[in-house]
Amino acid sequence: MPCTNPFWRSVLILLVAATPLAAQGPDPAAVRQQIRSYREANEARILSELRDLLALPNVASDLGDIQRNARHLVGLLEQRGIAARILDLGDAPPAVYGELNTPGATRTLVLYAHFDGQPVDRTKWASEPWTPVLRSATLQHGGTEVPWPTPGTRVDPEARVYARSASDDKSPIVAMLTALDALRASGTPLSVNLKFFFEGEEEAGSDNLRAILTKYADLLAADAWIFCDGPVHQSRQQMVTFGVRGVIGLNLTVYGPTRPLHSGHYGNWAPNPNVLLSHLIASMRDMDGRILVAGFYDDVPALTAADRRALASIPPMDDQLRAELGLAATEADNAQLMERIMLPALNVGGLEGGPAGTGGANLIGTASSAYIDLRLVPNQTPARVRELIEAHLTRQGFRVLHTVPDSTTRARYPRLVQLRWSDSGYPAVRTPMDLPISQAIIRTAELAIGGPVVQMPTSGGSLGLYHFSEVLHVPLVFVPIVNHDNNQHGENENLRLQNLWDGIELLGGLMARLGLEWRDAT
């Protein structure tokens, strides 16, 4: 029987209206404050856990060190009641897996980070790379070493942790685990089943990643992956990124005489390999970064409407970056940086053709070399790019070789170029920004931090995401947390503490609410 009493009709309307709000789960602002309060009370413990992890040497090529790191991470997961194990593949560097099921959850999310690191040159570090140091500020701004906090004390959020992998990529692991600790401490339930995948070979090119993903595909099955690798936007605003560029590397060498020649006696007569190389590079790329290889842009997709909306909303940082980097102007008439990384790029990373400066000599050398990395966008493949580059070099009058020329070959062809392509090239991957999971992650991230996030269609860097895409067939999204000025891969790598604190809140919010937002999105 329908309710006709005006009072009870009003109560019924209020109850019906309130039902969706109850189904929305915990209040995002309350969750954020609970996580923050937990962190503020436990900064010393959090940093102690990070310091212990950073103290483990982790050069990707050292299998013993990687195995020790893996065992340590299994221990950290198990301390939290997460079912953990090492994923082995013969003598390859291991990965670490963890699984935490959530009663009632209908979605499964994998959180990714890598725990291996780049090699170090100790002579360039201000402190030992695997003896973590806390400094009051960056070295460039006069930061001095300060003591690690004791239980119950707080740390200046602008302080920096200096150590190899402080930002790339061990701190996100600690942020994930701390976010889970904070939610449990406040009694906030998770909204998704969680899996953790920590890679031990990323900095060495992930040569065995595809085999690991294939072997353990059933174990790694999920609805989506979130990658916590890379830095946030230069504005320090937190960011969600939906892809990476592909990459392929090329070493090329051109040849002159078989022995060095006096530039006065033989200049303007003997071909100079430095000059040949200069003209060859100039034929491939103009001053504004436009790649001049015929057909190179044929497969490049146009920006989508979602791409353009995202680019238009990104905070303008180009003027600040130009001033910071001492650049009067940047390529393509000061075109926006974020628009430029949506395009393929040809970067000349190294040149070698004889000594310069005080060691310079009046000589015509025997050979000159360059290293080039090509950044690719969706639809471009390393195989097709290689084909286009080699055709271009042939059109420039060069005989293309893949081995060092012998004397017969040098005597026969006036222009020779030897090419050595990298074995680790891979294509770009991009998750559409209008997918339900993409929109759910954006909404959840903004609820978690209490404001907008920078939405990036793609990162400028490269990562072998295509393995995940082709083997596991799931959406892949980046939620980075570390500072943009972290010196990753270089000397004095560092982590700004506020980035770690913000990352804990962001990841905790995703754990607590993503399943609800994702459900609503479908």
Side-chain angles (χ1 to χ4, degrees):
M1 177 182 295
C3 178
T4 56
N5 185 296
F7 172 77
W8 287 112
R9 285 185 64 188
S10 300
V11 171
L12 183 61
I13 290 171
L14 289 173
L15 289 173
V16 170
T19 300
L21 295 177
Q24 289 177 3
D27 175 64
V31 170
R32 183 167 61 253
Q33 185 55 54
Q34 289 162 354
I35 294 172
R36 186 172 301 175
S37 297
Y38 175 87
R39 183 264 299 169
E40 290 175 347
N42 291 276
E43 287 185 6
R45 185 197 62 78
I46 297 165
L47 291 178
S48 176
E49 191 165 69
L50 176 61
R51 181 173 54 176
D52 290 346
L53 182 57
L54 294 175
L56 295 173
N58 65 333
V59 174
S61 59
D62 190 315
L63 181 59
D65 281 348
I66 296 303
Q67 290 171 332
R68 281 184 282 276
N69 276 265
R71 291 192 294 270
H72 185 85
L73 289 171
V74 167
L76 293 180
L77 292 168
E78 290 178 339
Q79 289 172 21
R80 288 150 169 102
I82 300 169
R85 58 182 287 193
I86 289 176
L87 304 185
D88 281 315
L89 190 70
D91 294 330
V96 174
Y97 172 78
E99 182 173 336
L100 185 63
N101 292 318
T102 300
T106 60
R107 299 289 190 180
T108 298
L109 180 70
V110 181
L111 294 176
Y112 169 99
H114 67 84
F115 59 91
D116 62 318
Q118 285 279 328
V120 299
D121 180 350
R122 283 184 167 86
T123 65
K124 295 183 178 179
W125 283 71
S127 53
E128 281 295 309
W130 289 289
T131 302
V133 170
L134 188 63
R135 297 184 185 278
S136 59
T138 64
L139 286 167
Q140 293 86 345
H141 290 88
T144 58
E145 188 171 345
V146 296
W148 292 89
T150 56
T153 60
R154 300 283 307 282
V155 190
D156 183 347
E158 292 301 320
R160 305 266 177 144
V161 176
Y162 278 80
R164 172 53 89 225
S165 297
S167 61
D168 187 23
D169 191 32
K170 285 183 173 180
S171 57
I173 296 174
V174 172
M176 295 174 195
L177 301 181
T178 303
L180 182 61
D181 295 341
L183 292 176
R184 285 173 166 172
S186 65
T188 303
L190 302 182
S191 64
V192 291
N193 298 312
L194 281 179
K195 294 182 178 181
F196 301 86
F197 182 84
F198 302 147
E199 187 183 353
E201 197 184 18
E202 194 271 343
E203 298 292 7
S206 300
D207 289 344
N208 296 284
L209 175 61
R210 192 180 190 93
I212 289 178
L213 297 178
T214 300
K215 179 178 179 179
Y216 296 102
D218 291 342
L219 192 67
L220 297 170
D223 295 295
W225 284 56
I226 285 182
F227 291 75
C228 299
D229 191 5
V232 300
H233 188 254
Q234 291 89 342
S235 65
R236 291 186 170 179
Q237 192 170 335
Q238 287 173 294
M239 184 168 71
V240 179
T241 306
F242 295 89
V244 292
R245 293 198 287 189
V247 68
I248 186 169
L250 168 65
N251 282 283
L252 59 84
T253 301
V254 298
Y255 297 90
T258 56
R259 61 181 174 82
L261 298 176
H262 187 285
S263 63
H265 296 323
Y266 295 98
N268 297 339
W269 181 81
N272 186 319
N274 285 340
V275 174
L276 289 174
L277 183 62
S278 299
H279 283 281
L280 193 54
I281 292 173
S283 77
M284 300 170 68
R285 180 196 193 277
D286 71 15
M287 293 284 285
D288 278 322
R290 175 80 182 174
I291 298 172
L292 305 176
V293 175
F296 201 90
Y297 292 92
D298 289 354
D299 297 325
V300 175
L303 296 182
T304 67
D307 292 337
R308 294 188 182 281
R309 286 195 298 271
L311 292 174
S313 68
I314 294 173
M317 291 293 298
D318 289 51
D319 287 345
Q320 178 178 324
L321 285 171
R322 278 188 283 268
E324 179 182 320
L325 299 173
L327 299 173
T330 44
E331 292 179 350
D333 195 25
N334 290 334
Q336 185 186 11
L337 170 62
M338 297 308 166
E339 291 179 1
R340 300 294 287 169
I341 65 174
M342 298 291 288
L343 296 170
L346 188 156
N347 174 62
V348 181
L351 295 168
E352 184 176 356
T358 57
N362 298 330
L363 291 175
I364 297 171
T366 60
S368 298
S369 301
Y371 174 73
I372 291 173
D373 66 270
L374 296 125
R375 302 289 170 161
L376 314 182
V377 297
N379 298 345
Q380 291 185 304
T381 66
R384 177 59 176 158
V385 166
R386 174 173 174 164
E387 177 184 319
L388 292 170
I389 293 290
E390 295 197 5
H392 174 83
L393 298 179
T394 299
R395 285 192 300 272
Q396 302 306 304
F398 283 81
R399 177 73 173 182
V400 174
L401 307 172
H402 298 99
T403 59
V404 177
D406 57 23
S407 57
T408 301
T409 303
R410 292 184 70 149
R412 181 177 179 184
Y413 297 102
R415 293 184 179 180
L416 297 172
V417 58
Q418 180 209 356
L419 306 182
R420 287 179 290 119
W421 293 93
S422 63
D423 296 327
S424 57
Y426 45 80
V429 171
R430 194 178 300 168
T431 297
M433 297 181 68
D434 53 3
L435 289 182
I437 176 56
S438 302
Q439 292 300 305
I441 289 175
I442 292 170
R443 285 199 306 275
T444 308
E446 293 185 334
L447 289 170
I449 68 174
V453 295
V454 175
Q455 301 173 37
M456 282 288 297
T458 192
S459 165
S462 301
L463 187 69
L465 283 194
Y466 76 105
H467 294 304
F468 298 92
S469 180
E470 293 179 0
V471 174
L472 302 176
H473 309 289
V474 290
L476 312 167
V477 179
F478 277 76
V479 180
I481 68 169
V482 302
N483 42 297
H484 78 281
D485 56 348
N486 58 41
N487 286 13
Q488 69 184 85
H489 293 192
E491 63 271 14
N492 299 318
E493 180 179 353
N494 65 86
L495 168 74
R496 174 178 171 259
L497 287 188
Q498 187 61 53
N499 280 79
L500 179 61
W501 305 153
D502 291 342
I504 293 168
E505 293 180 15
L506 174 58
L507 292 170
L510 286 167
M511 293 176 184
R513 292 202 53 88
L514 180 58
L516 304 171
E517 297 295 329
W518 198 347
R519 180 193 61 199
D520 294 342
T522 57

